[in-house]
Amino acid sequence: MKIFLTGGAGYIGSVTAQLLLDEGHEVVIFDNLESGHRGAVDPRAKFVEGDLRDREKIHESMRESRPDAVMHFAAYALVGPSMEDPLLYFRNNVAGGIHLAEAMCSSGVKKIIFSSTCATYGEPDEIPMTEDLPQHPTNPYGESKLMLERILSWSEERCGIEPVFLRYFNAAGATEKYGEHHDPETHLIPLVLSVALGQKQKVDVFGDDYDTPDGTCIRDYIHIVDLAQAHILAVTGNHAGAFNLGNGNGYSVKEVIDVAREVTGCDIPFDVAPRRPGDPPRLVASSEKAMHVLGWQPRYPELRTIVEHAWKWHLAHPEGYDGAGK
Ligand code: UDP
């Protein structure tokens, strides 16, 4: 298949492009390189530097590419900054997404695999979380993703767009080639590993007074390769609807630090800091639907393996894509 992949210079997009290309698909990457890296663009892909907020550019690129399907990763994806500047998030994630949908409509492209998030659910009433739970986001990031889910669903009526919503839990890990490099980094696992690398002195644990066994927030970490594989199953199997992607196991912030200590053999000091606004205490997926309908089977469900792979990549690329290890 020919896949038009937005955000292919980013963390999840780069790994998905790699796996698609490994399987013999053709990939066009559309990325503005604002937070992505040129070094994360697989050289086997065609690269278009462009911004989804540039309506003409996305229309032109879609027209020229004429793909079989779109995978849409490009977005702002942080809870904290979205609380500080909601409009920025809505303009990029929602307005940019509308431009993408319009470009698909006018070029007759129907299938889209959309990177959605467990943040669309807000604070869930039930754990593990199934796809039919109410969606009440607690931050503009989650709201922007939910808005685009709805916009794409309405576009199904209007111009036959066939969306699949993949609601990710916490993406982590790496392949040998591609890993996680954000600037600034805000995610727990890479931050913890940067302490082990001696690049940071300690980790701040955002709140230890949540209603969880050790008081720190619980998340469901999923290996980036397993996430990427779910996209490939969704697009090649011609599926529709929403799928949660996690391992069904929740780990607290303190447990993640403990696993990283074991994997790296380093003492990883931490301080307890105030809660981060917008953080739900506990997010754990039920991925039963993805397993039964997509036939998805995570290859690396263990947190330890996920952290080991991330550690290996960070050791080989201590400066991420900026360094000589690129
Ligand atoms: N977290 C933390 N310290 C950090 C970064 C994250 O305690 O320096 C916590 C955060 O509050 C959340 C969990 O780790 O409970 C995972 O956060 P991350 O930003 O990695 O992913 P998110 O769940 O926001 O998508």
Side-chain angles (χ1 to χ4, degrees):
M1 290 178 82
K2 185 172 189 182
I3 309 290
F4 188 92
L5 198 152
T6 74
Y11 175 42
I12 307 173
S14 62
V15 172
T16 307
Q18 181 191 356
L19 267 64
L20 281 165
L21 289 157
D22 287 349
E23 290 194 11
H25 299 286
E26 197 181 334
V27 176
V28 177
I29 288 177
F30 183 94
D31 196 300
N32 65 2
L33 297 181
E34 182 183 330
S35 51
H37 309 273
R38 192 65 181 84
V41 174
D42 195 304
R44 296 169 293 173
K46 179 179 175 215
F47 178 61
V48 179
E49 187 167 346
D51 192 310
L52 288 172
R53 287 162 290 195
D54 180 347
R55 200 164 173 272
E56 287 315 308
K57 182 77 179 175
I58 181 65
H59 272 260
E60 176 197 308
S61 309
M62 190 68 69
R63 231 183 356 254
E64 278 175 10
S65 304
R66 299 221 157 269
D68 299 306
V70 170
M71 290 189 184
H72 177 36
F73 297 90
Y76 290 152
L78 299 176
V79 170
S82 83
M83 299 288 279
E84 280 158 30
D85 196 346
L87 296 183
L88 185 77
Y89 268 65
F90 293 128
R91 189 176 327 110
N92 193 34
N93 295 2
V94 182
I98 292 172
H99 292 162
L100 179 66
E102 286 171 343
M104 289 175 65
C105 287
S106 68
S107 291
V109 180
K110 302 209 175 305
K111 188 101 235 159
I112 178 167
I113 314 298
F114 172 48
S115 302
S116 189
T117 167
C118 61
T120 59
Y121 296 109
E123 292 193 15
D125 295 334
E126 277 172 43
I127 296 283
M129 296 158 65
T130 47
E131 290 79 1
D132 51 4
L133 286 182
Q135 289 175 289
H136 298 300
T138 52
N139 53 65
Y141 162 60
E143 188 74 55
S144 72
K145 290 283 183 174
L146 179 57
M147 282 178 175
L148 192 56
E149 281 196 7
R150 296 206 166 134
I151 288 164
L152 291 172
S153 296
W154 285 104
S155 310
E156 200 165 351
E157 298 282 313
R158 159 83 175 73
C159 57
I161 282 189
E162 298 163 10
V164 178
F165 308 127
L166 298 184
R167 297 184 185 141
Y168 309 162
F169 283 64
N170 286 60
T175 64
E176 292 216 352
K177 286 191 198 163
Y178 303 120
E180 187 164 14
H181 174 186
H182 298 107
D183 192 12
E185 188 54 78
T186 62
H187 292 106
L188 181 64
I189 291 179
L191 283 173
V192 165
L193 296 179
S194 70
V195 176
L197 277 173
Q199 296 171 337
K200 244 175 91 70
Q201 291 200 318
K202 59 177 180 54
V203 184
D204 281 332
V205 171
F206 298 143
D208 70 349
D209 56 353
Y210 286 96
D211 183 17
T212 61
D214 68 17
T216 66
C217 284
I218 291 179
R219 295 288 180 272
D220 184 341
Y221 296 88
I222 165 162
H223 198 293
I224 191 91
V225 166
D226 290 328
L227 260 190
Q229 206 55 53
H231 290 74
I232 297 176
L233 291 169
V235 81
T236 52
N238 203 21
H239 292 284
F243 300 91
N244 289 344
L245 296 174
N247 284 308
N249 296 316
Y251 292 92
S252 73
V253 175
K254 284 185 179 166
E255 285 173 327
V256 170
I257 295 173
D258 283 341
V259 169
R261 284 176 173 152
E262 284 171 29
V263 167
T264 63
C266 300
D267 179 30
I268 299 174
F270 68 84
D271 280 345
V272 176
R275 289 181 176 199
R276 189 172 66 174
D279 261 346
R282 197 189 286 255
L283 296 171
V284 179
S286 160
S287 293
E288 294 287 311
K289 187 180 169 196
M291 290 178 183
H292 287 125
V293 179
L294 299 181
W296 182 65
Q297 199 56 54
R299 222 170 119 191
Y300 305 114
E302 299 300 326
L303 180 62
R304 192 185 165 97
T305 319
I306 295 173
V307 174
E308 274 169 5
H309 290 188
W311 178 231
K312 205 169 158 192
W313 190 82
H314 284 283
L315 280 175
H317 306 79
E319 308 299 327
Y321 292 105
D322 296 336
K326 181 163 150 179

mmCIF file of all heavy atoms in Angstrom, residues 157-177:
data_model
loop_
_atom_site.group_PDB
_atom_site.id
_atom_site.type_symbol
_atom_site.label_atom_id
_atom_site.label_comp_id
_atom_site.label_asym_id
_atom_site.label_seq_id
_atom_site.Cartn_x
_atom_site.Cartn_y
_atom_site.Cartn_z
ATOM 1 N N GLU A 157 -19.823 10.676 6.796
ATOM 2 C CA GLU A 157 -21.094 10.956 6.129
ATOM 3 C C GLU A 157 -20.875 11.800 4.885
ATOM 4 O O GLU A 157 -21.383 11.517 3.815
ATOM 5 C CB GLU A 157 -22.000 11.787 7.073
ATOM 6 C CG GLU A 157 -22.373 11.084 8.345
ATOM 7 C CD GLU A 157 -23.474 10.080 8.084
ATOM 8 O OE1 GLU A 157 -24.451 10.443 7.422
ATOM 9 O OE2 GLU A 157 -23.313 8.923 8.518
ATOM 10 N N ARG A 158 -20.066 12.843 5.066
ATOM 11 C CA ARG A 158 -19.938 13.888 4.045
ATOM 12 C C ARG A 158 -19.156 13.414 2.815
ATOM 13 O O ARG A 158 -19.578 13.648 1.702
ATOM 14 C CB ARG A 158 -19.284 15.093 4.727
ATOM 15 C CG ARG A 158 -18.616 16.095 3.880
ATOM 16 C CD ARG A 158 -19.598 17.118 3.305
ATOM 17 N NE ARG A 158 -18.853 18.134 2.590
ATOM 18 C CZ ARG A 158 -18.267 17.940 1.412
ATOM 19 N NH1 ARG A 158 -18.315 16.781 0.831
ATOM 20 N NH2 ARG A 158 -17.616 18.934 0.834
ATOM 21 N N CYS A 159 -18.007 12.745 3.031
ATOM 22 C CA CYS A 159 -17.240 12.377 1.838
ATOM 23 C C CYS A 159 -16.598 10.997 1.947
ATOM 24 O O CYS A 159 -15.548 10.757 1.365
ATOM 25 C CB CYS A 159 -16.234 13.448 1.466
ATOM 26 S SG CYS A 159 -15.099 13.836 2.757
ATOM 27 N N GLY A 160 -17.233 10.145 2.728
ATOM 28 C CA GLY A 160 -16.817 8.748 2.710
ATOM 29 C C GLY A 160 -15.506 8.451 3.406
ATOM 30 O O GLY A 160 -14.929 7.383 3.218
ATOM 31 N N ILE A 161 -15.026 9.377 4.235
ATOM 32 C CA ILE A 161 -13.790 9.095 4.988
ATOM 33 C C ILE A 161 -14.052 7.933 5.947
ATOM 34 O O ILE A 161 -15.097 7.880 6.609
ATOM 35 C CB ILE A 161 -13.311 10.357 5.744
ATOM 36 C CG1 ILE A 161 -12.611 11.288 4.740
ATOM 37 C CG2 ILE A 161 -12.374 10.005 6.889
ATOM 38 C CD1 ILE A 161 -11.896 12.455 5.355
ATOM 39 N N GLU A 162 -13.105 6.994 5.982
ATOM 40 C CA GLU A 162 -13.261 5.817 6.858
ATOM 41 C C GLU A 162 -12.195 5.879 7.939
ATOM 42 O O GLU A 162 -11.066 5.464 7.710
ATOM 43 C CB GLU A 162 -13.083 4.536 6.034
ATOM 44 C CG GLU A 162 -14.119 4.369 4.949
ATOM 45 C CD GLU A 162 -13.710 3.344 3.900
ATOM 46 O OE1 GLU A 162 -12.717 2.615 4.103
ATOM 47 O OE2 GLU A 162 -14.371 3.305 2.849
ATOM 48 N N PRO A 163 -12.539 6.415 9.111
ATOM 49 C CA PRO A 163 -11.505 6.579 10.132
ATOM 50 C C PRO A 163 -11.371 5.367 11.053
ATOM 51 O O PRO A 163 -12.345 4.677 11.337
ATOM 52 C CB PRO A 163 -11.996 7.790 10.933
ATOM 53 C CG PRO A 163 -13.478 7.785 10.775
ATOM 54 C CD PRO A 163 -13.822 7.024 9.529
ATOM 55 N N VAL A 164 -10.136 5.141 11.503
ATOM 56 C CA VAL A 164 -9.875 4.227 12.615
ATOM 57 C C VAL A 164 -9.199 5.070 13.685
ATOM 58 O O VAL A 164 -8.244 5.787 13.394
ATOM 59 C CB VAL A 164 -8.930 3.074 12.214
ATOM 60 C CG1 VAL A 164 -8.637 2.174 13.412
ATOM 61 C CG2 VAL A 164 -9.527 2.260 11.078
ATOM 62 N N PHE A 165 -9.710 4.995 14.900
ATOM 63 C CA PHE A 165 -9.120 5.768 15.994
ATOM 64 C C PHE A 165 -8.314 4.821 16.872
ATOM 65 O O PHE A 165 -8.866 3.906 17.482
ATOM 66 C CB PHE A 165 -10.219 6.430 16.845
ATOM 67 C CG PHE A 165 -11.192 7.228 16.015
ATOM 68 C CD1 PHE A 165 -12.556 7.015 16.120
ATOM 69 C CD2 PHE A 165 -10.735 8.188 15.123
ATOM 70 C CE1 PHE A 165 -13.447 7.739 15.344
ATOM 71 C CE2 PHE A 165 -11.618 8.924 14.342
ATOM 72 C CZ PHE A 165 -12.989 8.689 14.454
ATOM 73 N N LEU A 166 -7.027 5.041 16.926
ATOM 74 C CA LEU A 166 -6.185 4.240 17.813
ATOM 75 C C LEU A 166 -5.879 5.096 19.031
ATOM 76 O O LEU A 166 -5.208 6.128 18.921
ATOM 77 C CB LEU A 166 -4.913 3.801 17.086
ATOM 78 C CG LEU A 166 -5.154 2.908 15.860
ATOM 79 C CD1 LEU A 166 -3.831 2.440 15.255
ATOM 80 C CD2 LEU A 166 -6.030 1.696 16.192
ATOM 81 N N ARG A 167 -6.447 4.694 20.151
ATOM 82 C CA ARG A 167 -6.293 5.500 21.372
ATOM 83 C C ARG A 167 -5.129 4.924 22.179
ATOM 84 O O ARG A 167 -5.255 3.909 22.866
ATOM 85 C CB ARG A 167 -7.599 5.486 22.178
ATOM 86 C CG ARG A 167 -8.735 6.125 21.378
ATOM 87 C CD ARG A 167 -10.023 6.217 22.180
ATOM 88 N NE ARG A 167 -11.105 6.717 21.343
ATOM 89 C CZ ARG A 167 -12.366 6.290 21.386
ATOM 90 N NH1 ARG A 167 -12.724 5.364 22.258
ATOM 91 N NH2 ARG A 167 -13.276 6.809 20.577
ATOM 92 N N TYR A 168 -4.014 5.630 22.070
ATOM 93 C CA TYR A 168 -2.789 5.142 22.699
ATOM 94 C C TYR A 168 -2.806 5.397 24.196
ATOM 95 O O TYR A 168 -3.225 6.454 24.661
ATOM 96 C CB TYR A 168 -1.546 5.894 22.214
ATOM 97 C CG TYR A 168 -1.316 6.033 20.747
ATOM 98 C CD1 TYR A 168 -0.438 7.010 20.296
ATOM 99 C CD2 TYR A 168 -1.926 5.209 19.821
ATOM 100 C CE1 TYR A 168 -0.173 7.168 18.959
ATOM 101 C CE2 TYR A 168 -1.660 5.361 18.469
ATOM 102 C CZ TYR A 168 -0.799 6.348 18.040
ATOM 103 O OH TYR A 168 -0.517 6.517 16.715
ATOM 104 N N PHE A 169 -2.202 4.469 24.903
ATOM 105 C CA PHE A 169 -1.856 4.731 26.289
ATOM 106 C C PHE A 169 -0.416 5.265 26.244
ATOM 107 O O PHE A 169 -0.123 6.085 25.387
ATOM 108 C CB PHE A 169 -2.151 3.494 27.153
ATOM 109 C CG PHE A 169 -3.660 3.404 27.397
ATOM 110 C CD1 PHE A 169 -4.536 3.209 26.329
ATOM 111 C CD2 PHE A 169 -4.208 3.604 28.658
ATOM 112 C CE1 PHE A 169 -5.922 3.211 26.519
ATOM 113 C CE2 PHE A 169 -5.592 3.591 28.856
ATOM 114 C CZ PHE A 169 -6.443 3.403 27.787
ATOM 115 N N ASN A 170 0.504 4.868 27.113
ATOM 116 C CA ASN A 170 1.798 5.565 27.150
ATOM 117 C C ASN A 170 2.854 4.888 26.274
ATOM 118 O O ASN A 170 3.402 3.854 26.668
ATOM 119 C CB ASN A 170 2.275 5.678 28.595
ATOM 120 C CG ASN A 170 1.477 6.713 29.357
ATOM 121 O OD1 ASN A 170 0.254 6.585 29.493
ATOM 122 N ND2 ASN A 170 2.137 7.746 29.825
ATOM 123 N N ALA A 171 3.139 5.498 25.140
ATOM 124 C CA ALA A 171 4.125 4.939 24.209
ATOM 125 C C ALA A 171 5.522 5.034 24.818
ATOM 126 O O ALA A 171 5.900 6.071 25.376
ATOM 127 C CB ALA A 171 4.079 5.706 22.897
ATOM 128 N N ALA A 172 6.282 3.967 24.691
ATOM 129 C CA ALA A 172 7.651 3.969 25.240
ATOM 130 C C ALA A 172 8.473 2.928 24.492
ATOM 131 O O ALA A 172 7.955 2.217 23.637
ATOM 132 C CB ALA A 172 7.613 3.668 26.741
ATOM 133 N N GLY A 173 9.783 2.874 24.808
ATOM 134 C CA GLY A 173 10.668 1.924 24.130
ATOM 135 C C GLY A 173 11.229 2.503 22.844
ATOM 136 O O GLY A 173 11.059 3.696 22.558
ATOM 137 N N ALA A 174 11.902 1.667 22.070
ATOM 138 C CA ALA A 174 12.580 2.133 20.856
ATOM 139 C C ALA A 174 12.863 0.940 19.968
ATOM 140 O O ALA A 174 12.786 -0.213 20.410
ATOM 141 C CB ALA A 174 13.899 2.807 21.231
ATOM 142 N N THR A 175 13.205 1.214 18.697
ATOM 143 C CA THR A 175 13.835 0.195 17.861
ATOM 144 C C THR A 175 15.332 0.507 17.924
ATOM 145 O O THR A 175 15.742 1.459 18.586
ATOM 146 C CB THR A 175 13.349 0.261 16.396
ATOM 147 O OG1 THR A 175 13.747 1.504 15.824
ATOM 148 C CG2 THR A 175 11.848 0.098 16.297
ATOM 149 N N GLU A 176 16.148 -0.270 17.220
ATOM 150 C CA GLU A 176 17.582 0.063 17.232
ATOM 151 C C GLU A 176 17.812 1.411 16.571
ATOM 152 O O GLU A 176 18.665 2.180 16.976
ATOM 153 C CB GLU A 176 18.370 -1.021 16.498
ATOM 154 C CG GLU A 176 18.336 -2.308 17.265
ATOM 155 C CD GLU A 176 19.634 -3.083 17.185
ATOM 156 O OE1 GLU A 176 20.520 -2.700 16.416
ATOM 157 O OE2 GLU A 176 19.735 -4.076 17.918
ATOM 158 N N LYS A 177 17.017 1.711 15.527
ATOM 159 C CA LYS A 177 17.253 2.941 14.764
ATOM 160 C C LYS A 177 16.578 4.169 15.375
ATOM 161 O O LYS A 177 17.149 5.247 15.393
ATOM 162 C CB LYS A 177 16.676 2.769 13.352
ATOM 163 C CG LYS A 177 17.451 1.889 12.428
ATOM 164 C CD LYS A 177 16.847 2.077 11.019
ATOM 165 C CE LYS A 177 17.237 0.949 10.099
ATOM 166 N NZ LYS A 177 16.371 0.897 8.913
#
